[in-house]
Amino acid sequence: MLAFGMGSLWSEGHSSSILCVGGSPGPEGLIASGAEGGEVTLWTQEGAVVRRLVLPGQDDVTSAAFSPAGAAHLYLSHGDTVSVFDTRNLKGPAEEFQGAGEEEINALALNETGSAVALADDSGAVRILEIPGGKVCRTLRRHTNICSSVAFRPHRPNNLVSVGLDMQVILWGLQKTRPLWTLNLQDVAEEEDDHQQRPGQLFNPPLAHCVSVSSCGNVVGCGAEDGRVHLMRIGGGSKLEQQGAVKAHTQGASQAHFLSAFSHPYWMVTGGNDGHVALWDLSKHPVVAPEGKTGKSQATAPQRRKGKSGGKRREQAQEKSKAEREEAGEDDEAAAKEQEEEKSGPKLSISHGEKVNWLYPAVLKGEVSVIVADQSPNLTVYPLSQL
């Protein structure tokens, strides 16, 4: 594992804490950051300030994303409003969707064609807006607390994932506006903790902060308050096939984003309240590669039927030997698990030193990097390409 703490600082863009970062596609794409008090700044890829704005109303800017369909179109959420700017003409918003959220919007995401925007808000609702126009075409209600993050599923335009402070991860089918499945992270965490309590370990509830979907569309990653990144693999028919977790941070994991610029779609960068940023290769994790011999994997597919009597006897024999093994050496298993976790630890660990508000993986001047926003008015850029 590589460890380092030196990045380059982008300063003089804001006067208050930066809350979100987004980037325009393309080799010369701009970077946008949003901060407290309605501040928005556009940057070059070298970190020079192009333009600073303060949005009317001065609500905190909670999310910034460029449209995949038009690299100049920047979507910003602030209060219950979404403002759309054309970065070639920043005199005022090209479109403004007031009351787009039922309450304050926490995050927005665009689909691959830029024809829809999903919003997560404090009421727990997820709203889908048609683009252009901003008409609300779907309102999805199932979260019982704040909805914190949303992500469209690549290659599946009618699938959307949402997560919230109710500890639920929901995959939605947008045609029927109902969940295809729901996973309660608290249930999962309690099961895991029963097996592996460690002295001095703090148990924070797995409030879900940030969700990301791999570019292949089949693996969901969710950063949570328990310091874990919870992973789910989606199989045929959009079913939840498998789930598990990576113990990523000693405090809440506020950010988790898959990268698409590396050799396979299962690289992920995470950031936490412990002030660390970490880069993970999840390609051998049991959830991602269940056939690999990488330790126990947790199947969550109740539809798997038991085999005939021979299979049942085999199952009983396995159960018996498993019980004997557990009786013989739980300590060995714990030690093996520790070793496995060490082996599957981060490929890169950055001691950033400040609580992470937002991470944005970007290719800046051809170099794969991560842009970090924290409690300060500055951005820090760390190169990842030595891998």
Side-chain angles (χ1 to χ4, degrees), residues 339-353:
Q339 205 173 1
E340 181 63 43
E341 279 185 9
E342 185 62 35
K343 196 170 70 179
S344 61
K347 298 299 176 192
L348 184 67
S349 182
I350 299 165
S351 181
H352 179 68

Side-chain angles (χ1 to χ4, degrees), residues 101-106 119-125 127 145-147:
E102 293 186 2
E103 292 181 21
E104 185 177 357
I105 299 165
N106 297 307
L119 310 176
D121 76 22
D122 275 1
S123 75
R127 280 187 159 181
N145 203 326
I146 288 167
C147 184

Side-chain angles (χ1 to χ4, degrees), residues 272-336:
N273 297 341
D274 57 1
H276 279 78
V277 175
L279 179 68
W280 307 82
D281 177 356
L282 301 175
S283 60
K284 292 183 174 62
H285 190 279
V287 171
V288 178
E291 277 75 46
K293 293 175 184 171
T294 48
K296 279 195 298 184
S297 60
Q298 250 178 312
T300 56
Q303 68 272 24
R304 199 187 300 170
R305 302 191 188 283
K306 289 180 181 172
K308 293 179 184 167
S309 57
K312 198 163 186 179
R313 278 198 301 276
R314 197 159 54 244
E315 216 172 84
Q316 286 165 345
Q318 283 170 349
E319 283 298 318
K320 191 179 170 190
S321 73
K322 183 182 167 193
E324 286 165 356
R325 279 202 310 277
E326 279 174 3
E327 226 171 288
E330 280 183 357
D331 289 347
D332 291 350
E333 193 180 321

Side-chain angles (χ1 to χ4, degrees), residues 36-349:
E36 294 172 350
E39 294 183 358
V40 180
T41 299
L42 290 173
W43 311 77
T44 66
Q45 294 197 3
E46 292 88 359
V49 173
V50 175
R51 180 76 188 270
R52 282 192 290 260
L53 310 166
V54 177
L55 301 178
Q58 300 187 10
D59 285 318
D60 294 351
V61 182
T62 54
S63 199
F66 285 86
S67 171
H73 293 136
L74 170 63
Y75 288 73
L76 302 164
S77 59
H78 50 109
D80 65 1
T81 299
V82 174
S83 295
V84 188
F85 282 85
D86 186 327
T87 55
R88 296 162 298 192
N89 176 14
L90 288 164
K91 286 177 185 163
E95 289 187 284
E96 197 158 66
F97 313 135
Q98 292 185 346
E102 293 186 2
E103 292 181 21
E104 185 177 357
I105 299 165
N106 297 307
L108 61 78
L110 285 105
N111 65 357
E112 288 175 300
T113 59
S115 62
V117 178
L119 310 176
D121 76 22
D122 275 1
S123 75
V126 177
R127 280 187 159 181
I128 312 294
L129 310 185
E130 288 175 351
I131 300 301
K135 181 187 169 195
V136 178
C137 61
R138 299 272 190 284
T139 301
L140 312 174
R141 300 183 199 281
R142 197 55 68 97
H143 288 286
T144 56
N145 203 326
I146 288 167
C147 184
S148 47
S149 183
V150 283
F152 281 97
R153 190 177 164 206
H155 317 301
R156 305 288 192 288
N158 288 310
N159 281 190
L160 178 83
V161 187
S162 65
V163 302
L165 301 194
D166 57 358
M167 299 175 274
Q168 293 197 95
V169 180
I170 302 177
L171 179 69
W172 299 90
L174 297 182
Q175 284 159 321
K176 295 188 178 175
T177 65
R178 62 177 173 79
L180 297 171
W181 50 259
T182 300
L183 181 68
N184 187 314
L185 298 181
Q186 189 170 30
D187 296 346
V188 172
E190 281 170 3
E191 275 174 37
E192 289 182 4
D193 291 338
D194 284 347
H195 297 303
Q196 45 167 328
Q197 276 196 347
R198 289 185 203 148
Q201 192 174 358
L202 290 173
F203 292 102
N204 290 322
L207 313 175
H209 294 308
C210 178
V211 70
S212 179
V213 187
S214 61
S215 59
C216 63
N218 297 333
V219 179
V220 175
C222 168
E225 187 60 28
D226 58 0
R228 292 181 173 105
V229 174
H230 295 266
L231 299 172
M232 291 128 263
R233 191 174 83 251
I234 306 173
S238 296
K239 288 188 172 67
L240 174 59
E241 263 190 1
Q242 205 128 10
Q243 61 80 19
V246 173
K247 184 72 179 101
H249 294 274
T250 57
Q251 295 177 38
S254 55
Q255 290 282 290
H257 298 273
F258 283 103
L259 292 89
S260 52
F262 279 148
S263 51
H264 58 70
Y266 306 118
W267 287 92
M268 173 177 269
V269 63
T270 64
N273 297 341
D274 57 1
H276 279 78
V277 175
L279 179 68
W280 307 82
D281 177 356
L282 301 175
S283 60
K284 292 183 174 62
H285 190 279
V287 171
V288 178
E291 277 75 46
K293 293 175 184 171
T294 48
K296 279 195 298 184
S297 60
Q298 250 178 312
T300 56
Q303 68 272 24
R304 199 187 300 170
R305 302 191 188 283
K306 289 180 181 172
K308 293 179 184 167
S309 57
K312 198 163 186 179
R313 278 198 301 276
R314 197 159 54 244
E315 216 172 84
Q316 286 165 345
Q318 283 170 349
E319 283 298 318
K320 191 179 170 190
S321 73
K322 183 182 167 193
E324 286 165 356
R325 279 202 310 277
E326 279 174 3
E327 226 171 288
E330 280 183 357
D331 289 347
D332 291 350
E333 193 180 321
K337 192 163 181 62
E338 289 276 3
Q339 205 173 1
E340 181 63 43
E341 279 185 9
E342 185 62 35
K343 196 170 70 179
S344 61
K347 298 299 176 192
L348 184 67
S349 182

Side-chain angles (χ1 to χ4, degrees), residues 363-377:
V363 179
L364 302 174
K365 293 294 171 192
E367 182 163 49
V368 183
S369 306
V370 61
I371 303 172
V372 182
D374 54 32
Q375 310 290 288
S376 77

